[in-house]
Amino acid sequence: MAIRLSASSSSATLFAPSSFSHETETIPGRKLFGTWACQNNSKFHQNKHFELKASNVQPLKAVSLQAGAPASSPVAERVEKPTQEEYIPFLETDPEESTLSIVVVGASGDLARRKIFPALFALFIEDRLPENFTIFGYGRSIMTDEELRNIISKTLTCRVDKRENCDEKMDAFLKKCFYSSGQYSSEEHFLELDNKLKEKEAGRLSNRLFYLAIPPNMFVDVARCAQRRASSENGWIRVIVEKPFGRDTESSRELTRGLKQYLSEDQIFRIDHHMGEELVENLLVLRFSNLVFEPLWSRNYIRNVQFIFSEDFGTHGQGRYFDNYGIIRDIMQNHLLQIIALFSMDTPVSLDAEDIRNEKVKVLRSMKPVQLEDVVVGQYKGDCDGIRCYPGYTDDMTVSNNSLTPTFAAATLFINNARWEGVPFLMIAGKALHSKRAEIRVQFRHVPGNLYNRNFGTDLDQAGNELVIRIEPDEAIYLKINNKVPGLGMRLDRSDLNLLYKARYPREVPDAYERLLIDAIEGERRLFIRSDELDAAWAVFTPLLKELEEKKVAPELYTYGSGGPVGVHYLAAKHNVRWGDFGYED
C-alpha cells in the first residue's frame, strides 16, 4: 500500500491509513532502514508530490541505523512517537532541506573515470540532480580532493547543445566532488567517510547512494561497512552493484545472501548498463503503444528472433577479467537475456517496476535451459592485413596459452509458453568481429498463398517481412516490406520503412549510465534486476556452462575481424535461418 505525501512549496504533511503495514528485514541487533522515493519530472526541489511505499518506510518502532546510536537520540525519539493516525514527523520536510550524497566506491578505477563521473556531470548540466548534493569518491588510493578533481576533469565533456558556459558548469560540478581514502573492508574508514558526509550534509535530511565500481568479491564487505558505519540516520540508503553477479546459480545466490545480510532487496540496485540504452527503453513503448505490433507478437506470425551483440575489438588489456568469465557470462546471461525477457514477456498489469519485473520472471522461468547441441563457441586468433597486425586472444600476456574461454558464442533457446512455443530465439555475442553492432531482428512468417511468389523465384525468404531494432551504431527502427518498383511491368523490391534516430531527433542521446543513475536516485527499479529474476536467468545458462567446462569443449578459432566461426552457419541452418539473415548483408 502506498502513502501519498502532498507538499506545498514550503512544507509537507504525511497521512497514513490505519491499515498501513510495515515490512522489515531484521539484522541481529537492529533493523534495516527502508527508503522513501521521490517521483519527479525535473529537479527534486521542484517536486510537489512524494510517494512512500510500505516496503520502503522506516518501521515505526525501528532504531537508528547508525551503530551505537542511543535510544534517546533525536532520530529515535522522532520515530518512536507516532500518533494514533501513524503520523511520522521526521518525514515532514521541505525538499530544499534534504540533500543527496553520492559515494562512488572505487573512484580511481577505469569505470568511475570513464562512465560514472561523466554521467553525473551530464545529469548536473541537465538539472536532474537535487539542489543540495555532494559526490564523494572512495578508494584505497591516497589522494586529495584536488587530485580527484583533476582526474575527473579529464573525462568531462559538455553536450553539443549544452556547451554555453561549459567551463563554469564544470567548475561548479567539481566543487561538489570530494575524496575519502580507506580500505573496502574497514568499518573505521567508513566511519571517517560518514563524518565527512555529515559535515557536507549540514544537518539536512540525508539520502545516500553508494555506487560500487569494484570487483564483486568486495561487494559484501562494502555493504557491511556502509550499512553499519556510513548509513543515513534519517533518509534512504541505496547501493548500486555492477555485473557480473556471480559465475553460476550457486555463486549468484551466495552473493545475494551476503548482500541481504545488510541490505533489503529494495536497497539493492543490480545494474546492467546496456539496459539503459535508448532503444531498449523504447522496446516496451514499441510493443505496448502500437496496435500494429502487439497482435503480431507471437508464434502465429513470428518465425524467429535474433539478438546480436558484436564488437570489432578484442579484450583490450582486460584479458585477466574476461578469461575468468567469458562471453556467455559477460554478455549472454545478463544483457541479451534481459532484452529477450523484455521482448517476449506478456503485457504487465501496469508500468510499475514490480509489475514489469514479475512478467520478466515469468518468461525467464518458461525458458528451457540452453542445450550444448544448440550452441557454437569460438575464440579469435591473430591476423595481419598488410598494414597492421591484430593479436589473438591468447596473445594477451594475462591469458593462458591453453585458454578455452570463448570470445564468441551463438546459442538458440526456446520459451515454453502459449505465446512462443516452437519459435527459436537466436543469440549471437562476440568480440573481434568485423563490425560493432547491437540489434534485435524479428523475422515474420511467409504470407500464406502469396500471389507474388513467382516474382521472388525460389528464394521465399526474400519475401518475408523483418523488423529491425538497432541499438548501436546509429539507433534506428526499420521494417522491411515488399513493394512494386515504379515502371511498366511487375517487378518487386524490398524496401525499408526507417526511423533513424539521429535524423528524426538530432539532439545527442543520453548515455545509458545517465538514465540508470537518475532511476536509482529516484527509486525507479524497472531497469534493475531483482534477485528472483537473476536466479531464473542463471538457471537458463548454468547447466551449459558446467557442461562446457567439464567436457573442456574447445572453441572454434576465427580470424580477428571476420564474421565469426563457420559453425554458426550450421546452427542457423538447423533452425531454418540463413546466415545472411543475421544482418551482415545490411
Side-chain angles (χ1 to χ4, degrees):
M1 176 171 293
I3 308 174
R4 183 162 295 278
L5 174 64
S6 298
S8 66
S9 59
S10 60
S11 63
T13 307
L14 178 66
F15 299 94
S18 58
S19 60
F20 176 61
S21 62
H22 300 284
E23 301 173 10
T24 63
E25 184 172 337
T26 303
I27 295 175
R30 58 204 254 142
K31 294 195 176 188
L32 291 182
F33 194 96
T35 61
W36 61 284
C38 297
Q39 304 294 330
N40 74 332
N41 294 320
S42 59
K43 294 179 70 171
F44 276 23
H45 64 276
Q46 295 172 331
N47 289 341
K48 301 300 179 186
H49 298 287
F50 299 93
E51 185 174 76
L52 300 179
K53 294 190 176 179
S55 61
N56 288 343
V57 177
Q58 171 85 349
L60 294 179
K61 300 293 185 182
V63 298
S64 166
L65 257 187
Q66 196 66 24
S72 60
S73 68
V75 174
E77 289 178 3
R78 287 199 296 262
V79 172
E80 302 225 352
K81 293 182 180 178
T83 66
Q84 292 182 348
E85 292 79 24
E86 295 190 355
Y87 176 67
I88 308 177
F90 80 84
L91 287 177
E92 181 181 331
T93 178
D94 190 314
E96 294 185 3
E97 295 178 359
S98 65
T99 183
L100 172 66
S101 297
I102 302 171
V103 181
V104 181
V105 182
S108 59
D110 188 60
L111 174 63
R113 288 186 289 107
R114 290 192 306 107
K115 292 294 185 180
I116 301 173
F117 286 115
L120 290 170
F121 177 57
L123 293 175
F124 173 72
I125 289 181
E126 294 285 346
D127 288 336
R128 296 304 303 271
L129 295 179
E131 185 170 336
N132 300 311
F133 78 93
T134 304
I135 298 173
F136 261 86
Y138 182 91
R140 292 178 296 195
S141 302
I142 298 176
M143 68 175 82
T144 64
D145 295 341
E146 284 303 320
E147 287 172 329
L148 175 69
R149 291 165 184 164
N150 184 51
I151 292 172
I152 295 173
S153 65
K154 295 176 182 177
T155 60
L156 302 185
T157 57
C158 292
R159 292 200 179 102
V160 174
D161 58 343
K162 298 286 184 180
R163 287 188 175 166
E164 185 178 353
N165 302 323
C166 181
D167 290 340
E168 295 178 13
K169 294 173 183 175
M170 195 176 297
D171 289 341
F173 175 78
L174 291 173
K175 288 178 181 177
K176 295 275 193 175
C177 297
F178 305 91
Y179 186 77
S180 181
S181 64
Q183 297 298 313
Y184 298 136
S185 59
S186 171
E187 293 188 20
E188 180 183 352
H189 292 162
F190 271 82
L191 186 58
E192 293 174 7
L193 171 66
D194 180 62
N195 292 331
K196 293 178 181 180
L197 290 171
K198 286 179 178 177
E199 181 182 341
K200 303 300 179 185
E201 291 162 351
R204 301 184 185 94
L205 186 149
S206 60
N207 301 314
R208 294 181 181 179
L209 177 69
F210 289 80
Y211 196 118
L212 308 193
I214 52 177
N217 62 325
M218 302 175 184
F219 286 171
V220 176
D221 281 339
V222 172
R224 168 178 55 80
C225 295
Q227 187 68 278
R228 288 180 174 175
R229 294 294 182 238
S231 182
S232 172
E233 293 180 345
N234 53 11
W236 52 253
I237 175 175
R238 294 171 187 153
V239 177
I240 298 177
V241 293
E242 275 270 359
K243 71 175 182 70
F245 313 113
R247 287 177 46 81
D248 51 26
T249 299
E250 190 51 47
S251 60
S252 173
R253 288 174 178 171
E254 184 180 351
L255 177 59
T256 297
R257 285 193 296 267
L259 289 173
K260 285 190 173 182
Q261 291 180 68
Y262 309 104
L263 302 167
S264 68
E265 179 66 32
D266 282 346
Q267 292 174 308
I268 304 170
F269 286 69
R270 299 174 186 86
I271 188 173
D272 177 351
H273 71 273
H274 292 293
M275 295 302 293
E277 301 284 355
E278 188 68 41
L279 265 295
V280 174
E281 272 276 78
N282 209 4
L283 186 56
L284 297 185
V285 178
L286 186 72
R287 281 194 60 188
F288 300 125
S289 70
N290 293 288
L291 183 61
V292 67
F293 290 123
E294 183 57 22
L296 306 179
W297 224 257
S298 73
R299 62 190 298 271
N300 297 325
Y301 297 98
I302 292 177
R303 154 166 87 98
N304 64 72
V305 189
Q306 297 129 41
F307 298 82
I308 302 169
F309 185 94
S310 68
E311 295 177 328
D312 56 1
F313 53 87
T315 53
H316 277 195
Q318 295 184 332
R320 179 178 284 107
Y321 161 80
F322 190 86
D323 203 51
N324 193 38
Y325 289 95
I327 198 72
I328 297 176
R329 291 184 175 94
D330 192 46
I331 298 297
M332 281 189 165
Q333 182 275 332
N334 41 67
H335 170 44
L336 290 186
L337 204 56
Q338 285 293 312
I339 295 179
I340 289 179
L342 284 173
F343 176 93
S344 59
M345 72 182 193
D346 286 334
T347 307
V349 175
S350 73
L351 291 177
D352 181 77
E354 296 311 307
D355 289 333
I356 291 175
R357 298 200 290 187
N358 288 342
E359 293 301 329
K360 287 170 66 182
V361 170
K362 284 167 60 178
V363 77
L364 286 169
R365 287 177 174 168
S366 299
M367 293 179 184
K368 295 180 181 177
V370 179
Q371 303 299 308
L372 184 59
E373 57 266 26
D374 287 326
V375 174
V376 173
V377 292
Q379 187 183 96
Y380 68 87
K381 60 182 180 180
D383 183 50
C384 294
D385 59 9
I387 300 175
R388 59 174 295 186
C389 289
Y390 300 91
Y393 176 67
T394 55
D395 293 332
D396 190 318
M397 297 295 292
T398 62
V399 175
S400 167
N401 291 332
N402 301 318
S403 174
L404 299 179
T405 301
T407 60
F408 176 99
T412 307
L413 59 82
F414 295 89
I415 300 174
N416 286 341
N417 62 19
R419 184 188 285 263
W420 297 111
E421 180 73 33
V423 176
F425 286 77
L426 293 97
M427 310 165 70
I428 293 180
K431 289 184 172 291
L433 297 173
H434 62 48
S435 64
K436 178 178 174 61
R437 68 170 59 211
E439 61 187 21
I440 306 168
R441 304 181 77 88
V442 185
Q443 295 193 340
F444 293 93
R445 296 190 182 279
H446 301 139
V447 177
N450 195 333
L451 298 174
Y452 295 96
N453 276 351
R454 63 185 179 86
N455 298 87
F456 289 100
T458 58
D459 191 359
L460 295 182
D461 285 338
Q462 289 295 325
N465 300 122
E466 184 177 33
L467 175 67
V468 181
I469 303 170
R470 190 169 63 219
I471 299 169
E472 64 176 357
D474 299 331
E475 294 93 339
I477 301 173
Y478 58 95
L479 178 65
K480 295 188 175 185
I481 63 166
N482 303 313
N483 61 280
K484 178 184 177 297
V485 176
L488 301 177
M490 179 59 68
R491 188 162 65 91
L492 301 189
D493 189 20
R494 200 180 191 199
S495 303
D496 296 342
L497 300 179
N498 191 357
L499 167 60
L500 183 62
Y501 266 61
K502 68 180 181 182
R504 179 69 176 85
Y505 306 104
R507 65 166 294 174
E508 191 173 344
V509 177
D511 184 77
Y513 277 94
E514 297 173 35
R515 177 173 290 106
L516 293 169
L517 278 166
I518 197 63
D519 279 356
I521 291 170
E522 295 177 356
E524 172 55 65
R525 294 171 173 80
R526 282 183 307 120
L527 298 178
F528 297 90
I529 304 169
R530 205 168 61 190
S531 60
D532 57 340
E533 187 180 344
L534 182 63
D535 207 45
W538 273 117
V540 176
F541 277 101
T542 293
L544 169 69
L545 290 166
K546 288 186 176 179
E547 192 172 1
L548 285 170
E549 292 168 358
E550 289 171 359
K551 293 184 177 180
K552 299 187 183 301
V553 176
E556 181 183 343
L557 296 179
Y558 63 95
T559 304
Y560 193 116
S562 67
V566 176
V568 77
H569 291 271
Y570 299 102
L571 179 65
K574 177 180 178 180
H575 300 288
N576 197 28
V577 179
R578 296 185 310 125
W579 173 242
D581 290 339
F582 286 113
Y584 289 100
E585 83 284 359
D586 289 351

